[in-house]
C-alpha cells in the first residue's frame, strides 16, 4: 500500500499538478501511523493518509499554504499528539514536507473557436497548466488530455477562480463577452499576462469603453491587443496561435 504514493506522484506529474509529499520521519509512543508512512497533498485533492484526525487536517492546511506560496524548500514539523492538537494518542511524531512544484504558468483561454483550438493544441505541448473556457460544451471534443475544460454558465467565474499571476487569453465568439472578461481581468489586476484577440481598431474601441468603466490608462497599457508577437505574422489560426504562444513563452521565460 505504501508504494501507491509513487503512482500518485507519476499521475500528478503527467497532469502537471504541483503537490507536497508528507512523510512520517519519526514516531514515539502511541501514534496513528508508523514511521515511513506517506501522504500526497494537492491543491484540491489528497491521496493516502498519515492517520487522519487533527494531525492530518493540520498537515494538509500547512501543505496547501506551501503550494499557495510556491515554497520550494522542504522542512520538518514536530507534533505532540495530545489534547492541544486535538489528538488522544499521547505520542510524538515528526513530519517531513517536501514540495514537488514544477513552476508552470497557469493559463486561462477563453474561447474554443478556430484560433482557440489551434492555440490550446500548441500550449498543451508546453510546460504549463491550461484551463479552457467556453459555454459551448460541444467545442471541446478534441481537447488534449492534460487540458482542463470548463463550461460555466458565467465565464466570469473563471476569472474569479484563477490563481494570482495567471495568464489570460480572451478570444470568444462574442465581442461584448470579450469586453466584460477583459474588464474583469484588468480590474482584478494580479495577472501576469492579458492578451485580447483583435485589431488595433478593436483595441481603440475597447479602450474607450473600458476607460468609461473606470479602468485606468496604466491598466490599459498592460493589455496585449493585438495579441501575439508582432514579428510573427499571418491570419491563419495556426499562425495566430504561434504568435500568441511565442509571446507567452517570452513572458514566462522572462519571469523565471
Amino acid at each position: 500500500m505504501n508504494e501507491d504514493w509513487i503512482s500518485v506522484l507519476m499521475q500528478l506529474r503527467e497532469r502537471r499538478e504541483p503537490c507536497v509529499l508528507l512523510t512520517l520521519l519519526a514516531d514515539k509512543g502511541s501514534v496513528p501511523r508508523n514511521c515511513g508512512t506517506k501522504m500526497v497533498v494537492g491543491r484540491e485533492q489528497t491521496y493516502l493518509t498519515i492517520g487522519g484526525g487533527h494531525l492530518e487536517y493540520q498537515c494538509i492546511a500547512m501543505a496547501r499554504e506551501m503550494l499557495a506560496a510556491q515554497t520550494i524548500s522542504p522542512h520538518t514539523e514536530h507534533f505532540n499528539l495530545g489534547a492541544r492538537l486535538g489528538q488522544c494518542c499521547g505520542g510524538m511524531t515528526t513530519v517531513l514536507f517536501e514540495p514537488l512544484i514544477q513552476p508552470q504558468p497557469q493559463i486561462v483561454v477563453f474561447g474554443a473557436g478556430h484560433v482557440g483550438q489551434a492555440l490550446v493544441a500548441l500550449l498543451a505541448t508546453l510546460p504549463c497548466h491550461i484551463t479552457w473556457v467556453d459555454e459551448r460544451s460541444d467545442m471541446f471534443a478534441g481537447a488534449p488530455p492534460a487540458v482542463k475544460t470548463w463550461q460555466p454558465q458565467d465565464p466570469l467565474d473563471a476569472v474569479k477562480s484563477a490563481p494570482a499571476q495567471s495568464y489570460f487569453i480572451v478570444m470568444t465568439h462574442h465581442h461584448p463577452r470579450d469586453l466584460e472578461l477583459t474588464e474583469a481581468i484588468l480590474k482584478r489586476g494580479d495577472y501576469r499576462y492579458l492578451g485580447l484577440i483583435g485589431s488595433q481598431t478593436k483595441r481603440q474601441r475597447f479602450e474607450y469603453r473600458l476607460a468609461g468603466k473606470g479602468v485606468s490608462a496604466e491598466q490599459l497599457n498592460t493589455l496585449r491587443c493585438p495579441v501575439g508577437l508582432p514579428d510573427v505574422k499571418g491570419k491563419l489560426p495556426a499562425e495566430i496561435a504561434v504568435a500568441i504562444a511565442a509571446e507567452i513563452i517570452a513572458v514566462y521565460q522572462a519571469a523565471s
Side-chain angles (χ1 to χ4, degrees), residues 206-224:
F206 272 39
E207 283 186 342
Y208 176 79
R209 294 178 182 178
L210 290 166
K213 294 175 178 288
V215 178
S216 69
E218 182 179 3
Q219 290 172 306
L220 289 170
N221 286 337
T222 66
L223 173 64
R224 293 291 304 170

Side-chain angles (χ1 to χ4, degrees), residues 50-161:
I50 54 172
H54 287 279
L55 169 66
E56 183 167 298
Y57 178 82
Q58 186 168 332
C59 287
I60 291 172
M62 295 172 67
R64 286 186 170 148
E65 287 178 3
M66 295 174 69
L67 290 172
Q70 297 189 4
T71 303
I72 60 173
S73 300
H75 75 277
T76 58
E77 293 284 346
H78 304 282
F79 298 92
N80 292 314
L81 306 181
R84 190 172 182 182
L85 191 63
Q87 302 272 155
C88 59
C89 302
M92 293 184 294
T93 190
T94 300
V95 180
L96 170 64
F97 293 74
E98 294 179 273
L100 304 175
I101 299 175
Q102 300 174 316
Q104 295 175 341
Q106 301 287 320
I107 303 177
V108 185
V109 179
F110 293 95
H114 295 302
V115 177
Q117 297 274 348
L119 177 61
V120 169
L122 184 54
L123 293 177
T125 67
L126 300 174
C128 58
H129 187 82
I130 305 163
T131 301
W132 195 8
V133 183
D134 198 300
E135 302 97 304
R136 304 166 295 174
S137 59
D138 59 329
M139 302 296 287
F140 296 125
V147 173
K148 175 184 176 182
T149 59
W150 190 6
Q151 306 94 43
Q153 290 185 347
D154 186 355
L156 291 176
D157 291 341
V159 176
K160 298 172 186 175
S161 64

Side-chain angles (χ1 to χ4, degrees), residues 34 215 235:
N34 295 328
V215 178
K235 295 184 179 181

Side-chain angles (χ1 to χ4, degrees), residues 178-189:
D178 282 356
L179 181 63
E180 66 177 351
L181 286 168
T182 302
E183 178 188 357
I185 297 165
L186 285 169
K187 288 184 175 178
R188 172 174 167 157

